[in-house]
Amino acid sequence: YACIISSALIAAALSGCGADSQELEITGKDYRVTPEHIVEITGDENVDSSTRMPDYIFLPTLESLADVSNYIVEGEIVELYYTVCERNAWIQMDVLISDCQKGGFEQGDIISVYTSGGYISAADHFSEEAKEDYYSDVPDEVMENTIIKVLNNGAPLPEKGEKYMFFMDNGGSTRPAGCYEV
């Protein structure tokens, strides 16, 4: 399981403004993938928050991140999806690359990058066994409309239009083939 580096990802943020999707001009290769499941947030849901405290097998410094990453790119999030993998909240960020420090990407390429966190319904998060054991008195409609907002180390969720330096590897087996993971 790849380490979650979202707090380092947030710390490496660069300032910038977002590009409107109608203005998006891809000058390189399009490597985006399609998430299997998209969590739509309408604002009508009951939202509860949860904070993950990721475990690292190395010190989360820029030097150690560079050593364990197969790809290092700078880029802007041009599209963002909240999705679900193995009953956990994930974010797919479609990133327009402005610079590649490590790996084979070029300026103008666009890739899909996954990081843990985001939004997930209680119905998608809890297994059928957990629902039966602990939540059998909760109606299905309430489970579907109860959304859990998952933050890593309490860091804010990334947003469309933000620019970051991404330290990545190939995506895990439970994410769509062809994606990358911080």
Side-chain angles (χ1 to χ4, degrees), residues 144-159:
E144 285 294 331
N145 290 319
T146 299
I147 301 295
I148 303 167
K149 180 179 182 180
V150 181
L151 303 172
N152 289 316
N153 291 327
L157 297 175
E159 294 183 23

Side-chain angles (χ1 to χ4, degrees), residues 17-42:
C17 299
D20 193 353
S21 60
Q22 287 85 11
E23 299 173 13
L24 181 62
E25 184 176 326
I26 302 168
T27 58
K29 294 182 180 174
D30 189 342
Y31 296 102
R32 289 179 288 185
V33 300
T34 303
E36 294 177 24
H37 178 79
I38 297 175
V39 179
E40 297 288 340
I41 304 299
T42 64

Side-chain angles (χ1 to χ4, degrees), residues 1-153:
Y1 176 3
C3 293
I4 312 303
I5 314 300
S6 62
S7 59
L9 178 98
I10 300 299
L14 306 170
S15 63
C17 299
D20 193 353
S21 60
Q22 287 85 11
E23 299 173 13
L24 181 62
E25 184 176 326
I26 302 168
T27 58
K29 294 182 180 174
D30 189 342
Y31 296 102
R32 289 179 288 185
V33 300
T34 303
E36 294 177 24
H37 178 79
I38 297 175
V39 179
E40 297 288 340
I41 304 299
T42 64
D44 295 331
E45 302 88 358
N46 175 29
V47 178
D48 190 15
S49 291
S50 172
T51 298
R52 281 190 189 144
M53 304 305 282
D55 292 328
Y56 300 101
I57 57 172
F58 55 86
L59 290 174
T61 64
L62 291 178
E63 293 80 20
S64 63
L65 287 173
D67 288 344
V68 299
S69 299
N70 287 323
Y71 308 94
I72 304 172
V73 300
E74 291 180 39
E76 179 180 348
I77 300 170
V78 295
E79 196 57 64
L80 187 123
Y81 305 94
Y82 301 112
T83 187
V84 177
C85 300
E86 291 188 322
R87 300 197 171 282
N88 289 301
W90 284 82
I91 302 170
Q92 176 179 314
M93 302 168 286
D94 289 344
V95 176
L96 183 60
I97 296 173
S98 57
D99 186 38
C100 181
Q101 301 290 320
K102 187 176 182 181
F105 296 110
E106 300 289 331
Q107 180 180 2
D109 288 350
I110 188 167
I111 60 175
S112 295
V113 180
Y114 274 64
T115 189
S116 69
Y119 295 92
I120 186 170
S121 72
D124 287 335
H125 180 63
F126 296 110
S127 68
E128 292 304 318
E129 182 178 282
K131 289 178 203 174
E132 289 173 17
D133 290 349
Y134 304 106
Y135 304 104
S136 60
D137 59 335
V138 178
D140 290 342
E141 182 178 324
V142 171
M143 291 294 277
E144 285 294 331
N145 290 319
T146 299
I147 301 295
I148 303 167
K149 180 179 182 180
V150 181
L151 303 172
N152 289 316
N153 291 327

